[in-house]
Amino acid sequence: MSTPPPNPYSGAPVPPNPYAQGPGAPNPYAQPQPQPGGPVPAQQSPYAQPYPQQQPHPHPQQPHPQYAHPQHPPYLVPGPTGCRSCGAPEAVNFAVRAHVGVLVVMRFHRLDGPFCRRCGRALVRIMTTKTLCQGWWSPLSLVLFTPFTLFWNLIAAARFAKLEPSDPAPGRQQLDEGQPVHARPLAYVAIVPLLWAVWVITNIIADVSG
């Protein structure tokens, strides 16, 4: 019976393990052990990177006005409330009109408010005088557009007359009301087409009755 050869590595010193942990070194892969009677600590990976804190958006998104809370209406932009001409706080939002009719050419002018008492009355006098002077020289203007414009300005004058007088904004001036309409000579130009219309209507009635 043959004898096995001796092992040349037997009895040789074993080299130390370079990856072995020394005494007392914590194992980064070890599971945390719960403390008696306390919560279980969450496991934290040694390779986890700190997440930066999220910064608020510089332009926060605002909800649509249709879905905004009724008690919080900052998303509805209010319209102007002061006088458009001088900035006075006491104003009413009403337009002033003027009409020019020459044969077949007609022009419609409109100034939208709001206007205060003084600026509104001044514009009514200017636009009404312009209409009385230049608004009768076409058939449709004579029977339709000019009477409508004059009636509209009468309503506007009544609306502005109900306002309390107020001071203009700093650095701005109110319009000069000037003379009333009946004291302006250009307003009496309307007598000429009115007399002509009366003459035409009288002749038509005479022809029909005769």
Side-chain angles (χ1 to χ4, degrees), residues 2-107:
S2 60
T3 305
N7 187 1
Y9 299 100
S10 60
V14 179
N17 186 5
Y19 301 100
Q21 297 181 355
N27 185 6
Y29 303 101
Q31 297 290 338
Q33 300 297 328
Q35 299 294 333
V40 179
Q43 181 181 2
Q44 183 178 6
S45 174
Y47 303 101
Q49 298 293 332
Y51 190 74
Q53 185 178 3
Q54 186 177 4
Q55 300 295 331
H57 197 274
H59 303 286
Q61 185 178 6
Q62 297 179 349
H64 194 274
Q66 181 180 0
Y67 305 103
H69 197 275
Q71 297 181 358
H72 303 281
Y75 313 107
L76 303 179
V77 181
T81 56
C83 178
R84 178 182 174 185
S85 178
C86 67
E90 293 290 336
V92 63
N93 190 6
F94 202 83
V96 184
R97 297 175 181 267
H99 177 73
V100 177
V102 180
L103 298 179
V104 295
V105 179
M106 293 181 295
R107 295 181 180 178

Side-chain angles (χ1 to χ4, degrees), residues 1 6 27 35 38 52 54 58 63 66 80 104 112 116 118 122 130 134 148 152 155-156 161 171 180 183 196 203 209:
M1 181 176 183
N27 185 6
Q35 299 294 333
Q54 186 177 4
Q66 181 180 0
V104 295
D112 293 323
C116 65
R118 184 171 182 178
K130 183 181 182 67
Q134 303 177 3
F148 168 77
W152 180 279
I155 299 176
W196 175 79
N203 289 337
S209 61

Side-chain angles (χ1 to χ4, degrees), residues 102-136:
V102 180
L103 298 179
V104 295
V105 179
M106 293 181 295
R107 295 181 180 178
F108 302 86
H109 303 276
R110 173 172 174 169
L111 297 178
D112 293 323
F115 297 112
C116 65
R117 175 189 175 94
R118 184 171 182 178
C119 294
R121 288 163 59 94
L123 292 174
V124 166
R125 293 178 178 182
I126 294 173
M127 303 288 273
T128 302
T129 304
K130 183 181 182 67
T131 303
L132 289 173
C133 180
Q134 303 177 3
W136 305 97

